[in-house]
Amino acid sequence: MEISKETIDRISTAKTIVFFTEAGISAESGIPVFRGKDGIWNKLKPEELANFNAFLKNPEMVWEWYNHRKKIIHDSKPNSAHLTIAKLQNFFQNVIVITQNIDNLHRRAGSKIIYELHGNIERNYCVKCHTFYNQEIDLSHGVPKCECGGLIRPDVVWFGEYLPEDQLNAAERAAENCDVFFIIGTSGVVYPAASLIYTAKENKAYLIEINIESTEISYLADESLIGKAGEILPEMLEKIKSKIGST
Ligand code: OAD
């Protein structure tokens, strides 16, 4: 896999770099992706697990699934892709992460500006009074309930729900105002998040896609790099360091 000179030049002279990262960036940390051969949605139904009506109908099942995902996430670690993005903060003025991932791995890797479009699995809230609960949820006494009697749910965005307005607005401003926009590990089919790719393109950002295969949005990229994010990003960082050192 060859990273072009133009890509290294564009990154090296950038002031603001945005990383739009999705499930694929966490695949090398052992967290399963959603689509494709081994994707979660091949085996399980999103309408039964990632949907508010399904939660009201069968909160036990939804909580069991989220606790299973929490365990996988707790047992995982940021990989070299997350860590490289955090390291880039030492070289560039603004490094911004926009993610649909709920796994907290960018924060654990040390990234400072993160806009989470689909919430965060570490947080929970009451569907009735909106009190937040950040502690571990104990399922041994059944579905967790708030003091007000309302059901507690994970603070993640399910199908049919709005994205958190403050996070989406901040992500849109970042996509409008960046010099380089990375698209990492996404199939690019879930909206409105995927529309940020078009926003960045319309605003003349240089688009770099990193994915193990080409996707529906590859044609938009100025450079499409096929391979694992955890291998390509560290290699790119070395090239950027030599370039910055040589100017
Ligand atoms: P997908 O599962 O749709 O796509 C994951 C992408 O990552 C695919 O294009 C893979 O080819 C790529 N990939 C896998 N391993 C990789 C690696 N090591 N390096 C680089 N790329 C790799 O996941 P998302 O696009 O994140 O929403 O899905 C978006 C949303 O759909 C999720 O937030 C979730 C899901 O349904 C909800 O649950 C509401």
Side-chain angles (χ1 to χ4, degrees), residues 22-24 28 34-35 41 118 157 159 185-187 190 211-212 229:
E22 310 298 326
E28 290 162 75
F34 294 95
R35 296 176 185 78
W41 297 149
H118 279 183
V157 174
F159 287 100
T186 182
S187 48
V190 175
N211 200 303
I212 50 169

Side-chain angles (χ1 to χ4, degrees), residues 207-220:
L207 263 55
I208 305 166
E209 181 184 39
I210 302 178
N211 200 303
I212 50 169
E213 59 190 21
S214 19
T215 67
E216 291 191 17
I217 36 97
S218 296
Y219 77 97
L220 286 169

Side-chain angles (χ1 to χ4, degrees), residues 34 41 45-55 62 65-66 69 156-161:
F34 294 95
W41 297 149
K45 295 196 176 100
E47 61 277 17
E48 284 176 7
L49 294 166
N51 170 290
F52 187 60
N53 287 334
F55 175 69
V62 174
W65 190 58
Y66 273 91
R69 289 184 70 192
V156 298
V157 174
W158 285 329
F159 287 100
E161 295 183 326

Side-chain angles (χ1 to χ4, degrees), residues 45-144:
K45 295 196 176 100
E47 61 277 17
E48 284 176 7
L49 294 166
N51 170 290
F52 187 60
N53 287 334
F55 175 69
L56 292 180
K57 219 159 95 192
N58 196 345
E60 291 83 5
M61 185 173 75
V62 174
W63 262 115
E64 256 174 47
W65 190 58
Y66 273 91
N67 262 15
H68 166 71
R69 289 184 70 192
K70 266 174 197 268
K71 175 150 180 20
I72 295 176
I73 288 168
H74 281 174
D75 292 347
S76 70
K77 285 201 301 252
N79 63 52
S80 49
H82 301 104
L83 296 169
T84 302
I85 294 173
K87 277 185 202 153
L88 282 163
Q89 294 173 130
N90 300 327
F91 301 95
F92 297 94
Q93 228 168 316
N94 303 308
V95 177
I96 299 170
V97 175
I98 301 173
T99 190
Q100 281 182 111
N101 296 345
I102 59 173
D103 58 28
N104 223 19
L105 291 182
H106 282 296
R107 194 163 288 111
R108 283 170 61 194
S111 282
K112 295 196 176 76
I113 306 178
I114 308 168
Y115 302 131
E116 290 174 322
L117 302 179
H118 279 183
N120 190 310
I121 201 164
E122 302 289 337
R123 296 187 305 255
N124 315 285
Y125 69 91
C126 167
V127 298
K128 206 163 152 198
C129 70
H130 276 256
T131 299
F132 273 85
Y133 291 85
N134 293 334
Q135 75 274 26
E136 285 295 307
I137 294 292
D138 175 12
L139 290 184
S140 55
H141 306 294
V143 172

